Amino acid sequence: MKRKVPQEGLLWSHWLGLQKRLRNKTVLIDAAKDASWTAHALTEAAFPFSDHLLRYSTGERIAFRLPNGPEWFALFLALQRAGLVAVPLDGGMPTEGCLETARRLGARALYLDGEFHSLGKVSAAPATQVRNKKCCCVKITSGSGALPKAVECRAEHLLADGRNVIQTMGIRAGDLNLAVIPLGHSYGLGNLVLPLIAQGTAMVCAGDYVPRQLVTWIGRYRVTVFPAVPALLRVMAALPKEVAVAGPRDGSPPTAATATRIDSLRTVISAGAVLTPAVAQAFFARYGIKIHNFYGSSETGGICYDRTGSASLTGRSVGKPFAGVSVTVKAGRITVESLAVATRSGRWRLGDFGEWNGRGELVLLGRAGQEANIGGKKVHPLEVERVLRALPGVTDAAVWLEQSQGRDLLAAGVETTQSRAEIERALAACLPAWKLPKTWFIARELPRTARGKLDLVAMKRQVEPFV
């Protein structure tokens, strides 16, 4: 039985207000098709979904798998118009994985490959109950466990995070974002979706791409803001300098003056994984642009930001707290409080340890529960990891705790062209012997997950045996 009138959500109301003001402004460009969408066109694209969505009751969850692009945004708007809860899944997730995740998270339907698939009535099990009746979107985070974790967000949480991002990062209504990070991740929602809904900041969308295409699109469309992940920035920094920027959109060839320029780009942001000084330095040397490190979580949205890019070049910190965000450190544990925090109290205690440096910047020290006891002495893997990442020739690194015959030991994965012996010598010059890893995985490129984070599971399978 269909509902006659949708119970429209707050994000839809915000969008309608924006659409009235910016009706004919281009707000989304599909890079793959070189097609532009106005605010009015995206609104119209949302309506064809409405008939099907009226089958579901207000507050029910609808999962979907779509790449970045106009269809993703239109369906997200349609769900907000219908008062339903959007559950965006990774665009590269296999079909069976989508079905399993959607069911586990209590979705009533799953949209993929152009069709809605009914998943039946939601089980009354606590794991699938909708606890927050005003929830409009579920962020899915990998967290530290094997199963995905659902973070229920109200429209007020998302709008607050969008405002904090806009103010802290200086995102303007006239900016153009390059949208290659998934729109449905916490990072994509805060930096791409909400700035568009809140103030009309347009985006160039790309679902599939190779790194050299990004340079082309930045030049062709005059992109000004680029939210990225460290793995992508590392590859871009290594691109040959003869990579050409495409010419004007009329199809004429690039001129010699514009062949390798991305001078429209004002702000490059890195989040989702640790940004190493080597990558920040290489990117700056290649393009003359400093990367701004961004620290956040799905539960809290943005937390800290390196406003100048200087901290990213040295790896000294993750920057200072966002505007509108309170960050406290007590007994080493980090607590965040803001209107963007998706909890009833508006506060969230992170699993990270940290401290303030003399510049008022937050320095991350490690994760709770990961401290190693080596010969009666305490050491956190992140301490060793940070030193490894700062070594010349190291583009990324991970250090974790292993156990052998009841003893703690440290294992390390290092992305470098150097040998293990060279890395061990360099690290031994910085740390005492008892803090040095005992088992290693050295590679030119470390394995990464679909979200761009180092894949610890894959690395643990490849470390050298402990002797």
Side-chain angles (χ1 to χ4, degrees):
M1 181 177 177
K2 294 183 179 180
R3 287 180 289 148
K4 293 183 179 179
V5 181
Q7 185 174 328
E8 297 177 352
L10 181 58
L11 292 183
W12 174 256
S13 299
H14 273 259
W15 174 256
L16 285 184
L18 178 86
Q19 193 250 181
K20 289 178 182 177
R21 292 189 294 108
L22 305 176
R23 178 183 176 88
N24 296 317
K25 177 189 175 183
T26 294
V27 295
L28 190 149
I29 298 170
D30 185 344
K33 299 178 180 178
D34 194 24
S36 299
W37 294 69
T38 64
H40 176 68
L42 282 179
T43 305
E44 291 297 308
F47 290 130
F49 292 110
S50 296
D51 278 349
H52 189 92
L53 295 178
L54 287 174
R55 302 168 186 263
Y56 304 104
S57 301
T58 300
E60 289 190 309
R61 298 181 180 187
I62 308 296
F64 61 96
R65 181 191 68 187
L66 285 169
N68 287 6
E71 189 179 13
W72 190 103
F73 203 82
L75 179 52
F76 183 81
L77 289 176
L79 291 167
Q80 303 310 311
R81 177 175 183 260
L84 299 170
V85 181
V87 185
L89 305 178
D90 281 344
M93 184 180 290
T95 298
E96 286 304 314
C98 289
L99 288 166
E100 180 184 355
T101 302
R103 288 192 178 102
R104 185 186 300 128
L105 298 179
R108 280 293 315 278
L110 169 64
Y111 182 82
L112 58 96
D113 301 329
E115 295 183 17
F116 284 97
H117 302 266
S118 176
L119 301 180
K121 290 290 185 180
V122 177
S123 164
T128 59
Q129 284 181 343
V130 177
R131 297 183 300 275
N132 188 337
K133 293 183 179 179
K134 293 186 178 180
C135 172
C136 76
C137 180
V138 170
K139 296 178 183 178
I140 302 175
T141 174
S142 56
S144 57
L147 297 176
K149 177 183 176 183
V151 179
E152 294 180 321
C153 297
R154 296 169 56 169
E156 293 87 349
H157 298 139
L158 298 180
L159 287 166
D161 189 39
R163 288 193 298 268
N164 294 344
V165 165
I166 288 167
Q167 183 177 350
T168 302
M169 298 185 181
I171 309 298
R172 307 163 188 164
D175 273 323
L176 182 60
N177 269 312
L178 181 56
V180 295
I181 58 172
L183 295 179
H185 289 184
S186 182
Y187 185 14
L189 288 165
N191 274 73
L192 299 168
V193 176
L194 269 299
L196 174 49
I197 291 176
Q199 64 177 15
T201 302
M203 66 174 84
V204 176
C205 281
D208 296 316
Y209 59 88
V210 295
R212 66 178 59 240
Q213 285 180 301
L214 302 182
V215 178
T216 297
W217 291 331
I218 290 168
R220 171 177 292 181
Y221 298 111
R222 310 301 291 164
V223 169
T224 58
V225 181
F226 181 24
V229 294
L232 180 55
L233 296 172
R234 176 179 57 82
V235 174
M236 287 184 66
L239 288 175
K241 291 191 176 181
E242 61 269 19
V243 172
V245 172
R249 294 177 65 186
D250 60 10
S252 59
T255 65
T258 62
T260 58
R261 289 172 58 189
I262 55 171
D263 58 333
S264 63
L265 196 57
R266 186 184 78 251
T267 303
V268 177
I269 304 156
S270 177
V274 177
L275 174 69
T276 65
V279 171
Q281 293 163 11
F283 194 91
F284 181 69
R286 173 69 176 79
Y287 300 103
I289 301 172
K290 292 181 180 178
I291 299 172
H292 301 262
N293 207 1
F294 167 30
Y295 171 57
S297 76
S298 297
E299 293 85 359
T300 65
I303 299 172
C304 287
Y305 182 64
D306 176 15
R307 288 164 172 80
T308 66
S310 299
S312 301
L313 285 173
T314 62
R316 69 173 185 249
S317 75
V318 291
K320 296 181 179 180
F322 266 59
V325 176
S326 171
V327 181
T328 58
V329 180
K330 186 174 182 180
R333 290 291 294 273
I334 302 169
T335 299
V336 180
E337 184 172 3
S338 82
L339 295 176
V341 176
T343 64
R344 184 174 298 178
S345 65
R347 300 176 74 247
W348 181 257
R349 191 187 190 201
L350 296 166
D352 294 331
F353 282 107
E355 66 181 12
W356 301 108
N357 65 16
R359 302 170 183 264
E361 300 167 340
L362 185 65
V363 180
L364 298 181
L365 301 177
R367 296 281 297 175
Q370 294 181 351
E371 196 172 47
N373 186 332
I374 299 177
K377 300 175 182 178
K378 299 290 186 181
V379 61
H380 200 286
L382 187 58
E383 176 189 351
V384 181
E385 193 175 290
R386 287 171 55 204
V387 177
L388 270 174
R389 287 195 175 108
L391 293 180
V394 173
T395 53
D396 213 341
V399 178
W400 63 92
L401 176 64
E402 294 275 9
Q403 286 196 325
S404 176
Q405 298 178 350
R407 291 183 298 158
D408 287 353
L409 62 95
L410 296 179
V414 184
E415 189 171 81
T416 182
T417 58
Q418 300 180 49
S419 67
R420 169 178 169 173
E422 290 173 311
I423 293 297
E424 284 190 297
R425 281 197 298 270
L427 189 61
C430 304
L431 293 173
W434 63 272
K435 289 187 178 183
L436 300 181
K438 300 301 181 185
T439 181
W440 298 77
F441 171 55
I442 308 291
R444 289 178 177 268
E445 187 168 345
L446 293 177
R448 287 177 170 79
T449 67
R451 294 191 172 216
K453 297 184 179 183
L454 292 179
D455 190 337
L456 286 179
V457 174
M459 279 190 282
K460 288 178 180 180
R461 289 198 296 261
Q462 300 183 70
V463 292
E464 299 172 4
F466 175 66
V467 179

